[in-house]
Short mmCIF file of all heavy atoms in Angstrom, two decimals:
data_model
loop_
_atom_site.label_atom_id
_atom_site.label_comp_id
_atom_site.label_asym_id
_atom_site.label_seq_id
_atom_site.Cartn_x
_atom_site.Cartn_y
_atom_site.Cartn_z
N VAL A 1 -33.79 -22.70 -11.85
CA VAL A 1 -35.12 -22.81 -12.47
C VAL A 1 -35.87 -23.90 -11.72
O VAL A 1 -35.60 -25.09 -11.89
CB VAL A 1 -35.04 -23.11 -13.98
CG1 VAL A 1 -36.43 -23.34 -14.55
CG2 VAL A 1 -34.34 -21.97 -14.71
N ARG A 2 -36.80 -23.51 -10.88
CA ARG A 2 -37.54 -24.46 -10.04
C ARG A 2 -38.84 -24.92 -10.69
O ARG A 2 -39.29 -26.03 -10.47
CB ARG A 2 -37.87 -23.83 -8.69
CG ARG A 2 -36.69 -23.45 -7.87
CD ARG A 2 -36.08 -24.69 -7.20
NE ARG A 2 -34.96 -24.35 -6.39
CZ ARG A 2 -35.02 -24.12 -5.09
NH1 ARG A 2 -36.16 -24.19 -4.46
NH2 ARG A 2 -33.92 -23.81 -4.42
N TRP A 3 -39.49 -24.01 -11.45
CA TRP A 3 -40.80 -24.31 -12.04
C TRP A 3 -40.82 -23.89 -13.50
O TRP A 3 -40.14 -22.95 -13.91
CB TRP A 3 -41.91 -23.57 -11.30
CG TRP A 3 -41.89 -23.79 -9.83
CD1 TRP A 3 -42.44 -24.84 -9.13
CD2 TRP A 3 -41.30 -22.94 -8.85
NE1 TRP A 3 -42.23 -24.68 -7.79
CE2 TRP A 3 -41.52 -23.52 -7.58
CE3 TRP A 3 -40.59 -21.74 -8.90
CZ2 TRP A 3 -41.08 -22.96 -6.40
CZ3 TRP A 3 -40.14 -21.17 -7.73
CH2 TRP A 3 -40.39 -21.78 -6.50
N TRP A 4 -41.68 -24.58 -14.24
CA TRP A 4 -41.86 -24.27 -15.65
C TRP A 4 -43.35 -24.42 -15.95
O TRP A 4 -43.95 -25.47 -15.69
CB TRP A 4 -41.04 -25.22 -16.49
CG TRP A 4 -41.09 -25.02 -17.98
CD1 TRP A 4 -41.56 -23.95 -18.67
CD2 TRP A 4 -40.62 -25.94 -18.96
NE1 TRP A 4 -41.40 -24.14 -20.01
CE2 TRP A 4 -40.83 -25.36 -20.22
CE3 TRP A 4 -40.05 -27.21 -18.89
CZ2 TRP A 4 -40.48 -25.99 -21.40
CZ3 TRP A 4 -39.70 -27.84 -20.07
CH2 TRP A 4 -39.91 -27.24 -21.32
N ILE A 5 -43.96 -23.38 -16.47
CA ILE A 5 -45.38 -23.42 -16.86
C ILE A 5 -45.45 -23.33 -18.38
O ILE A 5 -44.84 -22.45 -18.99
CB ILE A 5 -46.19 -22.28 -16.19
CG1 ILE A 5 -46.18 -22.47 -14.67
CG2 ILE A 5 -47.61 -22.25 -16.74
CD1 ILE A 5 -46.89 -21.37 -13.91
N LEU A 6 -46.21 -24.26 -18.95
CA LEU A 6 -46.34 -24.32 -20.40
C LEU A 6 -47.75 -24.72 -20.78
O LEU A 6 -48.49 -25.25 -19.96
CB LEU A 6 -45.32 -25.33 -20.97
CG LEU A 6 -45.37 -26.74 -20.40
CD1 LEU A 6 -46.19 -27.68 -21.28
CD2 LEU A 6 -43.96 -27.27 -20.25
N ASP A 7 -48.10 -24.44 -22.02
CA ASP A 7 -49.37 -24.95 -22.52
C ASP A 7 -49.05 -26.10 -23.46
O ASP A 7 -48.00 -26.13 -24.09
CB ASP A 7 -50.20 -23.86 -23.20
CG ASP A 7 -49.47 -23.16 -24.33
OD1 ASP A 7 -48.23 -23.06 -24.28
OD2 ASP A 7 -50.14 -22.69 -25.26
N LEU A 8 -49.94 -27.06 -23.49
CA LEU A 8 -49.70 -28.30 -24.22
C LEU A 8 -50.96 -28.69 -24.98
O LEU A 8 -52.06 -28.58 -24.46
CB LEU A 8 -49.33 -29.40 -23.21
CG LEU A 8 -48.81 -30.72 -23.74
CD1 LEU A 8 -47.51 -30.54 -24.50
CD2 LEU A 8 -48.60 -31.68 -22.58
N ALA A 9 -50.76 -29.13 -26.21
CA ALA A 9 -51.89 -29.58 -27.04
C ALA A 9 -51.70 -31.05 -27.38
O ALA A 9 -50.58 -31.54 -27.47
CB ALA A 9 -51.96 -28.76 -28.32
N SER A 10 -52.80 -31.73 -27.58
CA SER A 10 -52.76 -33.14 -28.00
C SER A 10 -52.55 -33.20 -29.52
O SER A 10 -52.85 -32.24 -30.24
CB SER A 10 -54.07 -33.83 -27.64
OG SER A 10 -55.11 -33.33 -28.45
N PRO A 11 -52.05 -34.34 -30.02
CA PRO A 11 -51.91 -34.49 -31.47
C PRO A 11 -53.24 -34.34 -32.20
O PRO A 11 -53.28 -33.79 -33.30
CB PRO A 11 -51.35 -35.91 -31.62
CG PRO A 11 -50.67 -36.20 -30.33
CD PRO A 11 -51.49 -35.47 -29.29
N GLY A 12 -54.33 -34.82 -31.61
CA GLY A 12 -55.64 -34.69 -32.24
C GLY A 12 -56.06 -33.24 -32.40
O GLY A 12 -56.60 -32.84 -33.44
N LEU A 13 -55.83 -32.44 -31.39
CA LEU A 13 -56.16 -31.01 -31.49
C LEU A 13 -55.24 -30.31 -32.48
O LEU A 13 -55.69 -29.47 -33.27
CB LEU A 13 -56.06 -30.34 -30.12
CG LEU A 13 -56.46 -28.86 -30.10
CD1 LEU A 13 -57.93 -28.68 -30.46
CD2 LEU A 13 -56.16 -28.25 -28.75
N LEU A 14 -53.97 -30.66 -32.48
CA LEU A 14 -53.03 -30.06 -33.43
C LEU A 14 -53.47 -30.34 -34.86
O LEU A 14 -53.48 -29.43 -35.70
CB LEU A 14 -51.62 -30.61 -33.18
CG LEU A 14 -50.54 -30.04 -34.08
CD1 LEU A 14 -50.25 -28.59 -33.75
CD2 LEU A 14 -49.28 -30.87 -33.95
N GLU A 15 -53.87 -31.57 -35.13
CA GLU A 15 -54.33 -31.92 -36.47
C GLU A 15 -55.59 -31.14 -36.85
O GLU A 15 -55.71 -30.64 -37.97
CB GLU A 15 -54.58 -33.43 -36.56
CG GLU A 15 -54.91 -33.91 -37.95
CD GLU A 15 -53.80 -33.64 -38.96
OE1 GLU A 15 -52.62 -33.65 -38.59
OE2 GLU A 15 -54.13 -33.44 -40.14
N MET A 16 -56.53 -31.01 -35.92
CA MET A 16 -57.74 -30.25 -36.18
C MET A 16 -57.40 -28.78 -36.48
O MET A 16 -57.95 -28.18 -37.42
CB MET A 16 -58.68 -30.32 -34.99
CG MET A 16 -60.02 -29.61 -35.22
SD MET A 16 -61.06 -29.59 -33.75
CE MET A 16 -60.33 -28.24 -32.85
N MET A 17 -56.48 -28.20 -35.72
CA MET A 17 -56.11 -26.80 -35.94
C MET A 17 -55.38 -26.63 -37.27
O MET A 17 -55.59 -25.64 -37.96
CB MET A 17 -55.24 -26.29 -34.78
CG MET A 17 -56.03 -26.12 -33.51
SD MET A 17 -55.15 -25.28 -32.16
CE MET A 17 -53.70 -26.28 -31.94
N ARG A 18 -54.56 -27.59 -37.62
CA ARG A 18 -53.87 -27.52 -38.92
C ARG A 18 -54.87 -27.52 -40.06
O ARG A 18 -54.72 -26.78 -41.03
CB ARG A 18 -52.93 -28.71 -39.09
CG ARG A 18 -51.63 -28.57 -38.37
CD ARG A 18 -50.77 -29.79 -38.64
NE ARG A 18 -49.53 -29.73 -37.93
CZ ARG A 18 -48.83 -30.80 -37.60
NH1 ARG A 18 -49.25 -32.00 -37.90
NH2 ARG A 18 -47.69 -30.67 -36.96
N LYS A 19 -55.90 -28.36 -39.95
CA LYS A 19 -56.90 -28.44 -41.02
C LYS A 19 -57.75 -27.18 -41.10
O LYS A 19 -58.07 -26.70 -42.18
CB LYS A 19 -57.81 -29.66 -40.81
CG LYS A 19 -57.13 -30.96 -41.12
CD LYS A 19 -58.05 -32.13 -40.85
CE LYS A 19 -57.35 -33.44 -41.14
NZ LYS A 19 -58.18 -34.59 -40.77
N SER A 20 -58.12 -26.64 -39.95
CA SER A 20 -59.02 -25.49 -39.97
C SER A 20 -58.30 -24.16 -40.12
O SER A 20 -58.88 -23.21 -40.63
CB SER A 20 -59.87 -25.47 -38.69
OG SER A 20 -59.06 -25.26 -37.56
N MET A 21 -57.06 -24.08 -39.69
CA MET A 21 -56.35 -22.80 -39.71
C MET A 21 -55.05 -22.85 -40.49
O MET A 21 -54.31 -21.88 -40.53
CB MET A 21 -56.04 -22.36 -38.27
CG MET A 21 -57.28 -22.16 -37.44
SD MET A 21 -56.95 -21.93 -35.67
CE MET A 21 -55.60 -20.82 -35.62
N GLY A 22 -54.75 -23.98 -41.13
CA GLY A 22 -53.47 -24.20 -41.79
C GLY A 22 -53.04 -23.11 -42.73
O GLY A 22 -51.89 -22.66 -42.69
N ARG A 23 -53.93 -22.65 -43.57
CA ARG A 23 -53.54 -21.63 -44.55
C ARG A 23 -53.21 -20.30 -43.88
O ARG A 23 -52.41 -19.53 -44.37
CB ARG A 23 -54.60 -21.46 -45.63
CG ARG A 23 -55.93 -20.97 -45.13
CD ARG A 23 -56.97 -20.93 -46.29
NE ARG A 23 -58.26 -20.58 -45.79
CZ ARG A 23 -58.71 -19.32 -45.71
NH1 ARG A 23 -57.98 -18.33 -46.15
NH2 ARG A 23 -59.91 -19.08 -45.22
N HIS A 24 -53.80 -20.04 -42.73
CA HIS A 24 -53.53 -18.80 -42.01
C HIS A 24 -52.21 -18.87 -41.25
O HIS A 24 -51.66 -17.85 -40.85
CB HIS A 24 -54.65 -18.49 -41.02
CG HIS A 24 -55.98 -18.31 -41.67
ND1 HIS A 24 -56.27 -17.24 -42.48
CD2 HIS A 24 -57.09 -19.08 -41.64
CE1 HIS A 24 -57.51 -17.35 -42.93
NE2 HIS A 24 -58.03 -18.46 -42.43
N LEU A 25 -51.73 -20.09 -41.03
CA LEU A 25 -50.52 -20.28 -40.24
C LEU A 25 -49.36 -20.81 -41.08
O LEU A 25 -48.44 -21.41 -40.55
CB LEU A 25 -50.80 -21.24 -39.08
CG LEU A 25 -51.86 -20.77 -38.09
CD1 LEU A 25 -52.19 -21.87 -37.10
CD2 LEU A 25 -51.39 -19.53 -37.36
N ALA A 26 -49.40 -20.56 -42.38
CA ALA A 26 -48.36 -21.08 -43.26
C ALA A 26 -46.97 -20.61 -42.86
O ALA A 26 -46.00 -21.36 -42.96
CB ALA A 26 -48.66 -20.68 -44.71
N SER A 27 -46.85 -19.39 -42.38
CA SER A 27 -45.53 -18.88 -42.00
C SER A 27 -45.17 -19.24 -40.56
O SER A 27 -44.05 -18.98 -40.12
CB SER A 27 -45.48 -17.36 -42.18
OG SER A 27 -46.42 -16.74 -41.36
N ALA A 28 -46.09 -19.82 -39.81
CA ALA A 28 -45.83 -20.24 -38.43
C ALA A 28 -46.54 -21.57 -38.17
O ALA A 28 -47.49 -21.64 -37.41
CB ALA A 28 -46.32 -19.17 -37.46
N PRO A 29 -46.05 -22.65 -38.81
CA PRO A 29 -46.73 -23.94 -38.65
C PRO A 29 -46.63 -24.49 -37.23
O PRO A 29 -45.61 -24.31 -36.56
CB PRO A 29 -46.00 -24.84 -39.65
CG PRO A 29 -44.68 -24.20 -39.85
CD PRO A 29 -44.89 -22.73 -39.68
N MET A 30 -47.69 -25.13 -36.80
CA MET A 30 -47.72 -25.76 -35.48
C MET A 30 -47.13 -27.15 -35.61
O MET A 30 -47.47 -27.89 -36.52
CB MET A 30 -49.15 -25.81 -34.96
CG MET A 30 -49.70 -24.42 -34.67
SD MET A 30 -51.42 -24.47 -34.14
CE MET A 30 -52.22 -24.70 -35.73
N ARG A 31 -46.25 -27.51 -34.66
CA ARG A 31 -45.50 -28.75 -34.81
C ARG A 31 -45.53 -29.66 -33.59
O ARG A 31 -45.55 -30.86 -33.75
CB ARG A 31 -44.04 -28.41 -35.10
CG ARG A 31 -43.85 -27.64 -36.39
CD ARG A 31 -42.39 -27.33 -36.57
NE ARG A 31 -42.14 -26.79 -37.89
CZ ARG A 31 -41.73 -25.57 -38.11
NH1 ARG A 31 -41.49 -24.76 -37.11
NH2 ARG A 31 -41.53 -25.15 -39.34
N PHE A 32 -45.46 -29.12 -32.39
CA PHE A 32 -45.23 -29.95 -31.22
C PHE A 32 -46.51 -30.27 -30.47
O PHE A 32 -47.20 -29.38 -29.98
CB PHE A 32 -44.25 -29.26 -30.26
CG PHE A 32 -43.90 -30.09 -29.07
CD1 PHE A 32 -43.05 -31.17 -29.18
CD2 PHE A 32 -44.43 -29.80 -27.83
CE1 PHE A 32 -42.72 -31.95 -28.08
CE2 PHE A 32 -44.12 -30.55 -26.72
CZ PHE A 32 -43.26 -31.64 -26.84
N ALA A 33 -46.82 -31.56 -30.38
CA ALA A 33 -47.97 -32.07 -29.61
C ALA A 33 -47.67 -33.52 -29.32
O ALA A 33 -48.03 -34.41 -30.09
CB ALA A 33 -49.27 -31.91 -30.39
N PRO A 34 -46.98 -33.81 -28.22
CA PRO A 34 -46.56 -35.19 -27.96
C PRO A 34 -47.73 -36.10 -27.59
O PRO A 34 -48.57 -35.73 -26.76
CB PRO A 34 -45.60 -35.05 -26.78
CG PRO A 34 -46.05 -33.80 -26.08
CD PRO A 34 -46.57 -32.90 -27.15
N PRO A 35 -47.82 -37.28 -28.20
CA PRO A 35 -48.90 -38.21 -27.88
C PRO A 35 -48.90 -38.64 -26.41
O PRO A 35 -49.94 -38.96 -25.86
CB PRO A 35 -48.65 -39.42 -28.78
CG PRO A 35 -47.56 -39.05 -29.70
CD PRO A 35 -46.93 -37.79 -29.23
N ASP A 36 -47.71 -38.62 -25.79
CA ASP A 36 -47.61 -39.01 -24.39
C ASP A 36 -47.79 -37.82 -23.44
O ASP A 36 -47.59 -37.96 -22.23
CB ASP A 36 -46.30 -39.74 -24.11
CG ASP A 36 -45.07 -38.97 -24.55
OD1 ASP A 36 -45.19 -37.98 -25.28
OD2 ASP A 36 -43.96 -39.37 -24.15
N GLY A 37 -48.18 -36.69 -23.97
CA GLY A 37 -48.54 -35.53 -23.15
C GLY A 37 -47.49 -35.17 -22.12
O GLY A 37 -46.31 -35.03 -22.44
#
């Protein structure tokens, strides 16, 4: 495995998405957004 491509969110964006979409994502909560990116 030479390369890994991923998408990454900041904690601030994760919190905003939880507030705006939280009820729609109850069965698939968003969890990972490292402050150190």
Side-chain angles (χ1 to χ4, degrees):
V1 175
R2 298 282 181 94
W3 307 277
W4 182 14
I5 296 177
L6 54 97
D7 56 330
L8 190 62
S10 69
L13 183 64
L14 181 70
E15 186 61 31
M16 183 185 81
M17 290 189 303
R18 281 181 182 155
K19 287 178 181 174
S20 65
M21 299 170 44
R23 63 184 175 91
H24 299 292
L25 299 172
S27 62
M30 293 177 282
R31 298 179 171 115
F32 183 74
D36 54 347

